[in-house]
Amino acid sequence: MNLDKQRIADVPPGAENPLNFAVAQRDGSILDLVAEAIRHKQTLLAFQPVVLSRDQSRVGFYEGLIRITDATGRVIPARDFMHVVESTELGREIDVLALQMGLRALHETPHLRLSINMSARSIGFASWTRTLKRWLDRDPTIAERLILEITEGSAMTVPELVIDFMDRWQVRGICFALDDFGSGQTALRYFKDFFFDILKIDGQFVSGIAMDPDNQALVRSMVSIAQHFDMMTVAEFVETQADATMLTALGVDCLQGYLHGAPTTRPGWKTPPPVRAAG
């Protein structure tokens, strides 16, 4: 048997391509990891501030980012698993858990304004809808402080469904953000129907923008589109003051990134006040 045939013989049936086999093995491990985290309630939210570009000391709102922990207690960010689970039942369960934790945070912190990520695939998912209705019935003030973020790619899989979904919940006061704008294939004709409240500019156009005339032109165009459709703009992945200054000059309304704060599971409003010594 020659070497090539030996290599093929060592790969299980149906996985003759070693790269595909490795990807499948990795994805299977990720699915198992997420399933275990859900089963054992090993999920939490990390909160990242979104600041006003004209006054970067002021937080406009926070984004609640889903995290899971493994058996060792290691915290795993969504970017390491959502691409695998997003189209599965586990993706829907993750969306429900993120919504539950976000709504609880809004209920417990009356001054908080918070965005939560969801997939368009969760529209119509009974558990997700029940969770939202239950919390809004319990605390109607939550709606006007809740922002639901839907990625550009997700929204464009079922645009008509997203439009109908937004129409039904915006009348309750909920805001909607189009996340990762510029990373997918948004049909601009849908903008007049979508009525998103916030447009989040994908980080690939933001990082290093102070020295990148091409991205400056692209972001300027995105800001113009947002302003025409009465949408607020948020630049993601802002990491340097030079980029923040340029984005502000281009008319971006809000900034989000490590320059103004990393995601944390212990935000300021959860930190107990220091105990003063008696005397």
Side-chain angles (χ1 to χ4, degrees):
M1 182 180 292
N2 64 35
L3 184 58
D4 288 340
K5 289 183 178 180
Q6 178 64 49
R7 286 173 177 162
I8 293 173
D10 289 339
V11 175
E16 288 79 9
N17 184 314
L19 177 59
N20 290 345
F21 177 67
V23 170
Q25 290 290 93
R26 181 205 63 193
D27 290 354
S29 298
I30 291 173
L31 289 170
D32 291 341
L33 177 66
V34 174
E36 282 294 303
I38 292 173
R39 186 177 302 115
H40 297 292
K41 303 186 186 306
Q42 295 170 327
T43 59
L44 63 161
L45 284 183
F47 301 90
Q48 186 172 35
V50 179
V51 304
L52 306 183
S53 61
R54 298 291 179 181
D55 183 357
Q56 295 172 32
S57 65
R58 292 181 57 196
V59 175
F61 62 95
Y62 287 83
E63 180 177 356
L65 299 153
I66 189 72
R67 301 286 189 258
I68 64 172
T69 58
D70 63 14
T72 68
R74 181 171 57 108
V75 177
I76 302 170
R79 66 173 179 271
D80 291 344
F81 61 84
M82 279 305 297
H83 64 288
V84 176
V85 306
E86 202 272 341
S87 61
T88 71
E89 184 82 4
L90 290 175
R92 309 291 68 72
E93 295 181 45
I94 283 289
D95 275 2
V96 172
L97 290 169
L99 182 66
Q100 286 176 340
M101 291 184 287
L103 295 177
R104 182 177 297 279
L106 286 166
H107 175 68
E108 293 175 348
T109 314
H111 66 271
L112 178 64
R113 186 174 174 85
L114 183 66
S115 69
I116 298 294
N117 293 279
M118 66 171 294
S119 168
R121 291 183 172 89
S122 290
I123 296 173
F125 188 64
S127 181
W128 191 96
T129 303
R130 281 197 305 270
T131 298
L132 181 59
K133 287 181 176 178
R134 184 172 64 249
W135 278 98
L136 292 188
D137 290 342
R138 180 179 179 181
D139 182 355
T141 71
I142 285 175
E144 63 189 14
R145 295 181 287 120
L146 172 63
I147 302 166
L148 293 175
E149 295 195 17
I150 304 176
T151 64
E152 179 184 32
S154 178
M156 290 311 302
T157 60
V158 283
E160 291 82 6
L161 191 61
V162 172
I163 291 166
D164 178 69
F165 174 74
M166 290 169 56
D167 285 344
R168 286 186 283 114
W169 290 105
Q170 280 175 324
V171 297
R172 297 285 298 271
I174 294 174
C175 288
F176 286 87
L178 182 62
D179 196 14
D180 299 338
F181 181 66
S183 65
Q185 301 293 324
T186 296
L188 293 181
R189 67 185 179 87
Y190 282 109
F191 266 81
K192 66 180 185 297
D193 300 317
F194 267 138
F195 292 113
F196 277 98
D197 302 283
I198 299 170
L199 186 150
K200 300 190 75 174
I201 300 169
D202 190 72
Q204 66 179 303
F205 304 105
V206 172
S207 183
I209 192 171
M211 302 297 292
D212 191 329
D214 291 340
N215 278 347
Q216 290 169 23
L218 290 169
V219 168
R220 188 180 293 110
S221 297
M222 294 180 196
V223 169
S224 178
I225 291 171
Q227 289 174 342
H228 179 81
F229 290 101
D230 200 25
M231 292 185 288
M232 184 177 76
T233 48
V234 176
E236 303 180 289
F237 294 92
V238 181
E239 297 183 349
T240 70
Q241 188 56 57
D243 287 347
T245 300
M246 174 57 68
L247 290 161
T248 301
L250 291 172
V252 175
D253 298 301
C254 295
L255 310 173
Q256 179 179 2
Y258 280 80
L259 176 65
H260 300 103
T264 176
T265 58
R266 296 181 180 275
W269 69 83
K270 286 190 173 185
T271 304
V275 178
R276 293 185 178 181

PDB file of all heavy atoms in Angstrom, residues 102-114 139-146 269:
ATOM      1  N   GLY A 102     -29.779  39.088  30.152  1.00  0.00           N
ATOM      2  CA  GLY A 102     -29.843  40.509  29.854  1.00  0.00           C
ATOM      3  C   GLY A 102     -31.080  41.175  30.435  1.00  0.00           C
ATOM      4  O   GLY A 102     -30.997  42.266  31.019  1.00  0.00           O
ATOM      5  N   LEU A 103     -32.222  40.517  30.324  1.00  0.00           N
ATOM      6  CA  LEU A 103     -33.458  41.089  30.863  1.00  0.00           C
ATOM      7  C   LEU A 103     -33.419  41.150  32.384  1.00  0.00           C
ATOM      8  O   LEU A 103     -33.922  42.099  32.995  1.00  0.00           O
ATOM      9  CB  LEU A 103     -34.656  40.273  30.387  1.00  0.00           C
ATOM     10  CG  LEU A 103     -34.904  40.302  28.869  1.00  0.00           C
ATOM     11  CD1 LEU A 103     -36.074  39.396  28.503  1.00  0.00           C
ATOM     12  CD2 LEU A 103     -35.151  41.713  28.377  1.00  0.00           C
ATOM     13  N   ARG A 104     -32.810  40.150  32.991  1.00  0.00           N
ATOM     14  CA  ARG A 104     -32.662  40.185  34.453  1.00  0.00           C
ATOM     15  C   ARG A 104     -31.784  41.371  34.874  1.00  0.00           C
ATOM     16  O   ARG A 104     -32.086  42.075  35.843  1.00  0.00           O
ATOM     17  CB  ARG A 104     -32.067  38.882  34.967  1.00  0.00           C
ATOM     18  CG  ARG A 104     -31.924  38.830  36.485  1.00  0.00           C
ATOM     19  CD  ARG A 104     -31.404  37.484  36.955  1.00  0.00           C
ATOM     20  NE  ARG A 104     -32.341  36.423  36.636  1.00  0.00           N
ATOM     21  CZ  ARG A 104     -33.422  36.145  37.358  1.00  0.00           C
ATOM     22  NH1 ARG A 104     -33.709  36.875  38.431  1.00  0.00           N
ATOM     23  NH2 ARG A 104     -34.213  35.159  37.011  1.00  0.00           N
ATOM     24  N   ALA A 105     -30.693  41.601  34.143  1.00  0.00           N
ATOM     25  CA  ALA A 105     -29.813  42.727  34.454  1.00  0.00           C
ATOM     26  C   ALA A 105     -30.566  44.051  34.311  1.00  0.00           C
ATOM     27  O   ALA A 105     -30.415  44.956  35.146  1.00  0.00           O
ATOM     28  CB  ALA A 105     -28.592  42.708  33.542  1.00  0.00           C
ATOM     29  N   LEU A 106     -31.392  44.171  33.278  1.00  0.00           N
ATOM     30  CA  LEU A 106     -32.178  45.392  33.086  1.00  0.00           C
ATOM     31  C   LEU A 106     -33.193  45.576  34.211  1.00  0.00           C
ATOM     32  O   LEU A 106     -33.411  46.694  34.688  1.00  0.00           O
ATOM     33  CB  LEU A 106     -32.895  45.344  31.735  1.00  0.00           C
ATOM     34  CG  LEU A 106     -32.016  45.564  30.496  1.00  0.00           C
ATOM     35  CD1 LEU A 106     -32.750  45.155  29.228  1.00  0.00           C
ATOM     36  CD2 LEU A 106     -31.563  47.015  30.398  1.00  0.00           C
ATOM     37  N   HIS A 107     -33.801  44.500  34.643  1.00  0.00           N
ATOM     38  CA  HIS A 107     -34.784  44.566  35.729  1.00  0.00           C
ATOM     39  C   HIS A 107     -34.124  44.961  37.049  1.00  0.00           C
ATOM     40  O   HIS A 107     -34.673  45.772  37.818  1.00  0.00           O
ATOM     41  CB  HIS A 107     -35.474  43.212  35.874  1.00  0.00           C
ATOM     42  CG  HIS A 107     -36.416  43.127  37.033  1.00  0.00           C
ATOM     43  ND1 HIS A 107     -37.598  43.835  37.094  1.00  0.00           N
ATOM     44  CD2 HIS A 107     -36.333  42.432  38.204  1.00  0.00           C
ATOM     45  CE1 HIS A 107     -38.218  43.571  38.238  1.00  0.00           C
ATOM     46  NE2 HIS A 107     -37.469  42.729  38.924  1.00  0.00           N
ATOM     47  N   GLU A 108     -32.942  44.425  37.292  1.00  0.00           N
ATOM     48  CA  GLU A 108     -32.267  44.670  38.571  1.00  0.00           C
ATOM     49  C   GLU A 108     -31.546  46.009  38.604  1.00  0.00           C
ATOM     50  O   GLU A 108     -31.205  46.502  39.691  1.00  0.00           O
ATOM     51  CB  GLU A 108     -31.255  43.542  38.846  1.00  0.00           C
ATOM     52  CG  GLU A 108     -31.923  42.188  39.085  1.00  0.00           C
ATOM     53  CD  GLU A 108     -30.917  41.061  39.243  1.00  0.00           C
ATOM     54  OE1 GLU A 108     -29.713  41.296  38.933  1.00  0.00           O
ATOM     55  OE2 GLU A 108     -31.308  39.966  39.675  1.00  0.00           O
ATOM     56  N   THR A 109     -31.318  46.620  37.438  1.00  0.00           N
ATOM     57  CA  THR A 109     -30.562  47.876  37.362  1.00  0.00           C
ATOM     58  C   THR A 109     -31.367  48.887  36.548  1.00  0.00           C
ATOM     59  O   THR A 109     -31.227  48.975  35.317  1.00  0.00           O
ATOM     60  CB  THR A 109     -29.186  47.641  36.711  1.00  0.00           C
ATOM     61  OG1 THR A 109     -28.569  46.487  37.288  1.00  0.00           O
ATOM     62  CG2 THR A 109     -28.279  48.844  36.899  1.00  0.00           C
ATOM     63  N   PRO A 110     -32.230  49.668  37.182  1.00  0.00           N
ATOM     64  CA  PRO A 110     -33.183  50.534  36.465  1.00  0.00           C
ATOM     65  C   PRO A 110     -32.552  51.570  35.542  1.00  0.00           C
ATOM     66  O   PRO A 110     -33.186  51.999  34.583  1.00  0.00           O
ATOM     67  CB  PRO A 110     -33.962  51.205  37.609  1.00  0.00           C
ATOM     68  CG  PRO A 110     -33.845  50.261  38.759  1.00  0.00           C
ATOM     69  CD  PRO A 110     -32.472  49.669  38.634  1.00  0.00           C
ATOM     70  N   HIS A 111     -31.303  51.982  35.807  1.00  0.00           N
ATOM     71  CA  HIS A 111     -30.680  53.001  34.959  1.00  0.00           C
ATOM     72  C   HIS A 111     -29.950  52.394  33.765  1.00  0.00           C
ATOM     73  O   HIS A 111     -29.439  53.116  32.905  1.00  0.00           O
ATOM     74  CB  HIS A 111     -29.692  53.832  35.781  1.00  0.00           C
ATOM     75  CG  HIS A 111     -28.503  53.038  36.254  1.00  0.00           C
ATOM     76  ND1 HIS A 111     -28.500  52.355  37.449  1.00  0.00           N
ATOM     77  CD2 HIS A 111     -27.292  52.813  35.683  1.00  0.00           C
ATOM     78  CE1 HIS A 111     -27.331  51.749  37.604  1.00  0.00           C
ATOM     79  NE2 HIS A 111     -26.586  52.010  36.543  1.00  0.00           N
ATOM     80  N   LEU A 112     -29.898  51.072  33.685  1.00  0.00           N
ATOM     81  CA  LEU A 112     -29.101  50.391  32.664  1.00  0.00           C
ATOM     82  C   LEU A 112     -29.802  50.381  31.312  1.00  0.00           C
ATOM     83  O   LEU A 112     -31.010  50.169  31.219  1.00  0.00           O
ATOM     84  CB  LEU A 112     -28.826  48.947  33.115  1.00  0.00           C
ATOM     85  CG  LEU A 112     -28.030  48.047  32.147  1.00  0.00           C
ATOM     86  CD1 LEU A 112     -26.614  48.589  31.948  1.00  0.00           C
ATOM     87  CD2 LEU A 112     -27.993  46.617  32.691  1.00  0.00           C
ATOM     88  N   ARG A 113     -29.031  50.612  30.243  1.00  0.00           N
ATOM     89  CA  ARG A 113     -29.484  50.422  28.864  1.00  0.00           C
ATOM     90  C   ARG A 113     -28.552  49.382  28.258  1.00  0.00           C
ATOM     91  O   ARG A 113     -27.323  49.526  28.329  1.00  0.00           O
ATOM     92  CB  ARG A 113     -29.426  51.739  28.097  1.00  0.00           C
ATOM     93  CG  ARG A 113     -30.036  51.666  26.677  1.00  0.00           C
ATOM     94  CD  ARG A 113     -30.067  53.057  26.060  1.00  0.00           C
ATOM     95  NE  ARG A 113     -30.500  53.017  24.666  1.00  0.00           N
ATOM     96  CZ  ARG A 113     -31.765  53.025  24.267  1.00  0.00           C
ATOM     97  NH1 ARG A 113     -32.714  53.060  25.156  1.00  0.00           N
ATOM     98  NH2 ARG A 113     -32.078  53.004  22.977  1.00  0.00           N
ATOM     99  N   LEU A 114     -29.123  48.331  27.662  1.00  0.00           N
ATOM    100  CA  LEU A 114     -28.320  47.157  27.319  1.00  0.00           C
ATOM    101  C   LEU A 114     -28.727  46.589  25.965  1.00  0.00           C
ATOM    102  O   LEU A 114     -29.903  46.497  25.637  1.00  0.00           O
ATOM    103  CB  LEU A 114     -28.511  46.088  28.403  1.00  0.00           C
ATOM    104  CG  LEU A 114     -27.704  44.800  28.280  1.00  0.00           C
ATOM    105  CD1 LEU A 114     -26.208  45.078  28.447  1.00  0.00           C
ATOM    106  CD2 LEU A 114     -28.175  43.782  29.320  1.00  0.00           C
ATOM    107  N   ASP A 139     -41.942  43.740  33.984  1.00  0.00           N
ATOM    108  CA  ASP A 139     -41.336  45.070  34.132  1.00  0.00           C
ATOM    109  C   ASP A 139     -41.391  45.791  32.782  1.00  0.00           C
ATOM    110  O   ASP A 139     -40.480  45.663  31.965  1.00  0.00           O
ATOM    111  CB  ASP A 139     -39.885  44.938  34.614  1.00  0.00           C
ATOM    112  CG  ASP A 139     -39.210  46.276  34.843  1.00  0.00           C
ATOM    113  OD1 ASP A 139     -39.821  47.319  34.537  1.00  0.00           O
ATOM    114  OD2 ASP A 139     -38.058  46.282  35.321  1.00  0.00           O
ATOM    115  N   PRO A 140     -42.454  46.551  32.505  1.00  0.00           N
ATOM    116  CA  PRO A 140     -42.609  47.227  31.207  1.00  0.00           C
ATOM    117  C   PRO A 140     -41.507  48.225  30.894  1.00  0.00           C
ATOM    118  O   PRO A 140     -41.295  48.565  29.724  1.00  0.00           O
ATOM    119  CB  PRO A 140     -43.967  47.936  31.347  1.00  0.00           C
ATOM    120  CG  PRO A 140     -44.696  47.183  32.420  1.00  0.00           C
ATOM    121  CD  PRO A 140     -43.629  46.736  33.376  1.00  0.00           C
ATOM    122  N   THR A 141     -40.771  48.708  31.924  1.00  0.00           N
ATOM    123  CA  THR A 141     -39.709  49.690  31.666  1.00  0.00           C
ATOM    124  C   THR A 141     -38.525  49.064  30.938  1.00  0.00           C
ATOM    125  O   THR A 141     -37.668  49.787  30.412  1.00  0.00           O
ATOM    126  CB  THR A 141     -39.202  50.322  32.970  1.00  0.00           C
ATOM    127  OG1 THR A 141     -38.446  49.364  33.724  1.00  0.00           O
ATOM    128  CG2 THR A 141     -40.356  50.834  33.817  1.00  0.00           C
ATOM    129  N   ILE A 142     -38.458  47.741  30.923  1.00  0.00           N
ATOM    130  CA  ILE A 142     -37.342  47.062  30.267  1.00  0.00           C
ATOM    131  C   ILE A 142     -37.312  47.369  28.777  1.00  0.00           C
ATOM    132  O   ILE A 142     -36.244  47.567  28.185  1.00  0.00           O
ATOM    133  CB  ILE A 142     -37.432  45.542  30.507  1.00  0.00           C
ATOM    134  CG1 ILE A 142     -37.025  45.195  31.940  1.00  0.00           C
ATOM    135  CG2 ILE A 142     -36.558  44.775  29.516  1.00  0.00           C
ATOM    136  CD1 ILE A 142     -37.199  43.727  32.289  1.00  0.00           C
ATOM    137  N   ALA A 143     -38.471  47.417  28.142  1.00  0.00           N
ATOM    138  CA  ALA A 143     -38.538  47.530  26.678  1.00  0.00           C
ATOM    139  C   ALA A 143     -37.768  48.737  26.162  1.00  0.00           C
ATOM    140  O   ALA A 143     -36.979  48.630  25.211  1.00  0.00           O
ATOM    141  CB  ALA A 143     -39.997  47.594  26.234  1.00  0.00           C
ATOM    142  N   GLU A 144     -37.963  49.893  26.772  1.00  0.00           N
ATOM    143  CA  GLU A 144     -37.329  51.118  26.275  1.00  0.00           C
ATOM    144  C   GLU A 144     -35.836  51.170  26.578  1.00  0.00           C
ATOM    145  O   GLU A 144     -35.140  52.062  26.089  1.00  0.00           O
ATOM    146  CB  GLU A 144     -38.025  52.334  26.874  1.00  0.00           C
ATOM    147  CG  GLU A 144     -37.913  52.422  28.397  1.00  0.00           C
ATOM    148  CD  GLU A 144     -38.780  53.516  28.979  1.00  0.00           C
ATOM    149  OE1 GLU A 144     -39.656  54.025  28.260  1.00  0.00           O
ATOM    150  OE2 GLU A 144     -38.568  53.846  30.154  1.00  0.00           O
ATOM    151  N   ARG A 145     -35.337  50.218  27.359  1.00  0.00           N
ATOM    152  CA  ARG A 145     -33.902  50.169  27.667  1.00  0.00           C
ATOM    153  C   ARG A 145     -33.209  48.977  27.006  1.00  0.00           C
ATOM    154  O   ARG A 145     -32.015  48.764  27.202  1.00  0.00           O
ATOM    155  CB  ARG A 145     -33.695  50.125  29.188  1.00  0.00           C
ATOM    156  CG  ARG A 145     -34.174  51.396  29.889  1.00  0.00           C
ATOM    157  CD  ARG A 145     -33.935  51.362  31.392  1.00  0.00           C
ATOM    158  NE  ARG A 145     -34.842  50.454  32.085  1.00  0.00           N
ATOM    159  CZ  ARG A 145     -34.451  49.410  32.807  1.00  0.00           C
ATOM    160  NH1 ARG A 145     -33.174  49.134  32.922  1.00  0.00           N
ATOM    161  NH2 ARG A 145     -35.342  48.636  33.400  1.00  0.00           N
ATOM    162  N   LEU A 146     -33.962  48.207  26.215  1.00  0.00           N
ATOM    163  CA  LEU A 146     -33.434  47.013  25.560  1.00  0.00           C
ATOM    164  C   LEU A 146     -33.141  47.285  24.093  1.00  0.00           C
ATOM    165  O   LEU A 146     -33.958  47.866  23.370  1.00  0.00           O
ATOM    166  CB  LEU A 146     -34.449  45.867  25.681  1.00  0.00           C
ATOM    167  CG  LEU A 146     -34.134  44.583  24.889  1.00  0.00           C
ATOM    168  CD1 LEU A 146     -32.844  43.938  25.392  1.00  0.00           C
ATOM    169  CD2 LEU A 146     -35.304  43.603  24.978  1.00  0.00           C
ATOM    170  N   TRP A 269     -21.757  48.597  37.987  1.00  0.00           N
ATOM    171  CA  TRP A 269     -22.998  48.582  38.762  1.00  0.00           C
ATOM    172  C   TRP A 269     -23.158  47.305  39.589  1.00  0.00           C
ATOM    173  O   TRP A 269     -24.012  47.230  40.451  1.00  0.00           O
ATOM    174  CB  TRP A 269     -24.204  48.773  37.851  1.00  0.00           C
ATOM    175  CG  TRP A 269     -24.499  47.617  36.935  1.00  0.00           C
ATOM    176  CD1 TRP A 269     -25.192  46.482  37.236  1.00  0.00           C
ATOM    177  CD2 TRP A 269     -24.091  47.488  35.579  1.00  0.00           C
ATOM    178  NE1 TRP A 269     -25.250  45.657  36.142  1.00  0.00           N
ATOM    179  CE2 TRP A 269     -24.597  46.248  35.110  1.00  0.00           C
ATOM    180  CE3 TRP A 269     -23.376  48.308  34.701  1.00  0.00           C
ATOM    181  CZ2 TRP A 269     -24.377  45.815  33.809  1.00  0.00           C
ATOM    182  CZ3 TRP A 269     -23.163  47.863  33.422  1.00  0.00           C
ATOM    183  CH2 TRP A 269     -23.661  46.633  32.985  1.00  0.00           C
TER     184      TRP A 269
END
